[in-house]
Amino acid sequence: MSFGQGGPFDGPGGSGTPDWDALAEESEAASRRKRWMLIGGGALAAVAVAGIVTAAVVTSGDSGGGSPTASPTPGQAQEPNDTPSFDDVSVPPPPNPQDYISDPKKDRATLTPATLFPEKSMVIGAHSYPRTNTSTTKDCTAAAQGALGSLLAHNGCSQLLRATYSKGGVSVTIGIAVFDSPAKAAKVRDQYKPNLAPLAGGGVPSSFCVGTGCVTTANAAGRYAYFTIAGNDDGKRVTDTKSKAGQIGRDGGLYAFNRIQQRGKDQAAKAAAAQTQQPQS
């Protein structure tokens, strides 16, 4: 059997005697490779274990929602909860002023010329007109002229309050009629026919808007219908609504509206104050 040339068993001269030096070197090389494989395998195993430990550390705190949660171990005291707790308290909505000028069951404040026309002067923007006289009647037809009287009566007018304001030779009488519902007040406004009876006195002559041309208006707010009649104190006919008489008439209508709204606001504010004083259950 021949092993060919250069084999480990070819001794010097090719006599077939084993080359012990070559065999020793080959054995040593094989041993080194085995050691490197063991060391490398151990390193890979260590890396794999480290990866498992790292994964365990990361995932052990995952509660499913992305935020770490730690459960107390037996015998471990939990942290006290210092967050204050409050009972739910139902806060009622603020009263609506419109309810108090629309519902006679709520609209219970005193209703007189002194409460409805309290200021000594009617002030609208830069215009100011002194008050000259006031009046009230439960017979609404007594403070109306023409078709307005019957219209007020047929719709249940319970009171008609008037106030007159005057300045610079022109005057206006404001009339506010009271009904038991906004629907009746709106009906009077929509079917309005002249006119409110003017209220003289306090420097306004008795001839004011009697038998002469004056300007009138009609409107409604809540359960109130309000009217104005304005003209010249000297009895001259009003021919232009942009005149001083027309201006005081428009200001009178706005003032009446503001006074009715203020009545609702005052009563709503009073009701709100009463709510805050009641003990919460």
Side-chain angles (χ1 to χ4, degrees):
M1 180 181 294
S2 175
F3 291 94
Q5 295 182 353
F9 296 99
D10 289 338
S15 60
T17 303
D19 187 346
W20 299 110
D21 292 336
L23 289 173
E25 290 178 0
E26 185 176 347
S27 177
E28 179 65 21
S31 297
R32 286 196 300 269
R33 287 194 299 270
K34 185 176 181 180
R35 285 196 299 270
W36 279 111
M37 288 177 64
L38 290 174
I39 294 171
L44 290 174
V47 170
V49 171
I52 294 171
V53 172
T54 302
V57 170
V58 171
T59 59
S60 65
D62 191 354
S63 62
S67 300
T69 58
S71 300
T73 58
Q76 179 182 357
Q78 297 188 18
E79 293 290 335
N81 185 3
D82 294 332
T83 303
S85 61
F86 301 95
D87 295 333
D88 291 336
V89 178
S90 178
V91 179
N96 185 350
Q98 295 303 311
D99 293 343
Y100 291 86
I101 60 172
S102 299
D103 186 353
K105 293 180 179 179
K106 290 186 175 183
D107 190 8
R108 304 302 297 273
T110 303
L111 185 59
T112 65
T115 61
L116 198 56
F117 308 111
E119 294 92 356
K120 292 182 178 180
S121 293
M122 172 179 71
V123 179
I124 298 295
H127 303 149
S128 178
Y129 310 94
R131 188 186 63 210
T132 61
N133 201 3
T134 62
S135 175
T136 183
T137 179
K138 292 185 178 180
D139 179 7
C140 298
T141 60
Q145 299 179 135
L148 179 60
S150 60
L151 185 60
L152 294 173
H154 290 160
N155 286 280
C157 175
S158 61
Q159 190 175 0
L160 182 55
L161 302 97
R162 291 180 295 167
T164 297
Y165 300 85
S166 181
K167 186 178 182 180
V170 294
S171 301
V172 61
T173 295
I174 299 170
I176 298 180
V178 186
F179 300 89
D180 60 8
S181 71
K184 290 185 178 179
K187 184 177 180 180
V188 170
R189 174 200 62 201
D190 296 340
Q191 297 181 0
Y192 168 76
K193 293 182 180 179
N195 56 277
L196 179 72
L199 179 64
V204 176
S206 58
S207 59
F208 163 60
C209 284
V210 175
T212 186
C214 288
V215 291
T216 68
T217 65
N219 215 322
R223 68 189 189 106
Y224 298 89
Y226 56 97
F227 316 94
T228 66
I229 182 168
N232 298 307
D233 291 347
D234 60 8
K236 289 184 179 179
R237 181 181 182 86
V238 179
T239 58
D240 186 358
T241 58
K242 295 182 180 179
S243 63
K244 290 172 61 177
Q247 182 65 57
I248 196 173
R250 288 189 296 273
D251 289 344
L254 180 56
Y255 184 70
F257 173 79
N258 290 344
R259 291 308 311 155
I260 296 169
Q261 295 297 322
Q262 190 61 50
R263 178 176 173 83
K265 292 176 183 178
D266 291 344
Q267 293 183 89
K270 185 177 180 179
Q275 286 181 354
T276 60
Q277 294 175 359
Q278 293 178 355
Q280 298 294 333
S281 57

